[in-house]
Amino acid sequence: MQHFDVVIVGGGHGGAQTAIALRGQGFGGSIAIVGRETEPPYERPPLSKEYLAQEKPFERLYLRPREYWADKQVELLLGRAVTAVDPNRRQLTLADGSTLAFGELVWATGGDPRHLSCPGAQLPGIHYVRTRADVDALMAELPQAQTAVVIGGGYIGLEAAAVLSKLGKQVTLLEALPRVLARVAGEDLSQFYEAEHRAHGVDLRTGMAVEGIEGDGRVTGVKLADGTIIPADVVIVGIGIIPSIGVLVAAGAAGGNGLDVDAQCRTSLPHVFAIGDCAAHANAFADGAVIRLESVQNANDMASVVAKVITGQEASYAATPWFWSNQYDLKLQTVGLSTGHDATVLRGDPATRSFTVVYLKQGQVIALDCVNCARDYAQGRKLVEQRVAADPAALADPAIPLKDLVPAS
């Protein structure tokens, strides 16, 4: 049985960054990354953007050159799935029956796409966007496809719709809720993106429940609850992820919607950490509520905390949440968490395609959505971090720099 001082399960951003940070902190022990995919760690966000659009070759998505991992003595155990964890003996069992022993275990498995459960959900031609293999399979079918239906109006669905539209496909986007981005943004932003997609030729429909997928041996259409059938050569589904935590929960780790972790990213099991999309943590920007954050930023920040804790340093997770999304020529940058806001301020004119939505809670700034407005994003960060009670009229005036609204310290 092989033994490693640190075993990292998951080869995405969080897993890779944990190994990188450990070596950066001077950790000299043995490290292994166990990953289900056969590729070395790579960037995920471009999969639904530049990679799907064939604007960036896969080689440019690697988080580090292939030789980096050998140079840093990080062993990559790729194409391997963990099927069991014995926390008392500090052992992992892999799908091929082999076992690994660990000193510290870092669970960075992210999540798996939430699949459709309606009739026809298993038909060929239905695609999810999570891995290179997912997108390669989709791209292989696109040359023969003219009509595409995207199910889900979150960021993945909108980004995929934007790319498919640019590729000349006839795109229909279906969102079950009354507006796109309903779970993460206010109405101003939702309305803007709905209008943008329609202006680019996307048939965007909200409040649409999918009844089933039509086809005979392969998808041919999507059936709505009212009986309407929308023709589809391909279907792309973006309806969220399910955190990959089953193995650790079976081993006794506390968790429901994610693995419960403390401020040092420790799970309830000794010597076992969890980070990234699969980690449920109390977040100060959500007023202490226990949440999961699905973002590269969160995975990287948690990885840095774990690396410090493993190397004997004091560290607690307290990072400012931020996100981004690229659609067409629009760059959305978000800082903070708008969940629970009770007021919004529109800064600038959406018709100019450069504006900011400021989210307030009890008069305090808790988040910003900045569209093609990098200056507001950079300057507004401190308003969010300090929960500044700024004058709404000043927030709404683009002529007043946001940095001027930050109290002098």
Side-chain angles (χ1 to χ4, degrees):
M1 184 192 323
Q2 285 182 287
H3 177 277
F4 294 93
D5 295 307
V6 176
V7 172
I8 301 162
V9 181
H13 288 270
Q17 186 59 36
T18 302
I20 293 166
L22 281 169
R23 291 300 187 227
Q25 296 290 341
F27 182 75
S30 55
I31 303 174
I33 296 178
V34 182
R36 287 187 302 183
E37 294 182 73
T38 56
E39 295 285 355
Y42 63 88
E43 292 184 77
R44 310 277 167 166
L47 290 176
S48 59
K49 307 180 187 78
E50 300 97 326
Y51 184 61
L52 177 58
Q54 300 175 38
E55 296 169 353
K56 183 181 281 191
F58 188 79
E59 290 67 33
R60 290 180 54 201
L61 269 56
Y62 287 124
L63 290 168
R64 291 291 187 275
R66 283 178 175 268
E67 58 270 17
Y68 170 90
W69 305 106
D71 291 345
K72 295 295 184 181
Q73 294 184 299
V74 175
E75 186 151 350
L76 298 181
L77 303 176
L78 303 176
R80 314 276 190 93
V82 176
T83 56
V85 175
D86 185 333
N88 297 319
R89 300 170 69 184
R90 294 205 221 175
Q91 287 183 11
L92 302 177
T93 302
L94 306 182
D96 62 5
S98 62
T99 55
L100 294 177
F102 62 85
E104 305 289 336
L105 177 64
V106 182
W107 201 259
T109 51
D112 294 309
R114 188 180 298 278
H115 282 225
L116 295 174
S117 57
C118 58
Q122 305 304 317
L123 282 169
I126 299 174
H127 298 273
Y128 299 84
V129 179
R130 191 67 177 172
T131 68
R132 178 191 185 176
D134 292 338
V135 180
D136 283 352
L138 170 59
M139 289 196 300
E141 295 183 9
L142 285 182
Q144 292 77 41
Q146 287 305 311
T147 56
V149 173
V150 179
I151 300 174
Y155 288 122
I156 291 289
L158 292 174
E159 288 167 0
V163 170
L164 293 171
S165 174
K166 281 174 23 179
L167 293 175
K169 307 304 178 185
Q170 184 179 328
V171 183
T172 302
L173 187 143
L174 306 173
E175 167 55 51
L177 295 176
R179 58 186 175 90
V180 302
L181 301 175
R183 293 184 177 88
V184 295
E187 290 188 17
D188 289 321
L189 199 76
S190 296
Q191 290 170 2
F192 172 77
Y193 274 100
E194 287 171 9
E196 279 291 328
H197 279 274
R198 288 174 177 138
H200 282 86
V202 175
D203 179 4
L204 190 152
R205 309 185 193 186
T206 57
M208 290 291 163
V210 173
E211 185 79 14
I213 307 298
E214 300 286 300
D216 183 11
R218 180 181 169 78
V219 63
T220 58
V222 176
K223 184 178 181 181
L224 303 181
D226 65 3
T228 302
I229 296 176
I230 302 172
D233 297 322
V234 293
V235 173
I236 298 93
V237 182
I239 54 174
I241 68 166
I242 299 172
S244 301
I245 64 173
V247 171
L248 267 193
V249 170
N257 179 26
L259 294 162
D260 295 340
V261 299
D262 64 13
Q264 287 70 47
C265 301
R266 295 187 183 95
T267 69
S268 61
L269 299 176
H271 305 287
V272 180
F273 300 83
I275 63 173
D277 291 5
C278 68
H281 63 283
N283 193 291
F285 291 86
D287 293 330
V290 175
I291 62 172
R292 288 189 306 107
L293 283 180
E294 297 173 11
S295 75
V296 171
Q297 158 266 329
N298 177 57
N300 288 346
D301 288 333
M302 285 186 155
S304 297
V305 169
V306 168
K308 288 178 180 176
V309 172
I310 288 176
T311 54
Q313 303 173 63
E314 291 288 327
S316 296
Y317 176 83
T320 304
W322 57 271
F323 314 85
W324 80 96
S325 176
N326 295 330
Q327 299 168 45
Y328 307 109
D329 57 343
L330 302 168
K331 184 174 184 68
L332 169 65
Q333 294 170 289
T334 297
V335 61
L337 299 173
S338 62
T339 309
H341 70 273
D342 54 28
T344 60
V345 174
L346 183 59
R347 178 179 170 86
D349 183 1
T352 67
R353 306 177 84 247
S354 175
F355 67 98
T356 293
V357 181
V358 184
Y359 297 88
L360 304 173
K361 185 174 184 180
Q362 297 176 349
Q364 298 177 326
V365 177
I366 61 169
L368 284 83
D369 281 328
C370 309
V371 177
N372 286 349
C373 212
R375 187 176 70 168
D376 278 1
Y377 172 74
Q379 295 185 7
R381 187 184 185 96
K382 287 189 176 178
L383 295 177
V384 173
E385 291 174 341
Q386 297 178 25
R387 291 189 74 129
V388 172
D391 174 23
L395 286 171
D397 187 350
I400 300 176
L402 290 179
K403 65 181 179 182
D404 291 357
L405 305 181
V406 179
S409 54

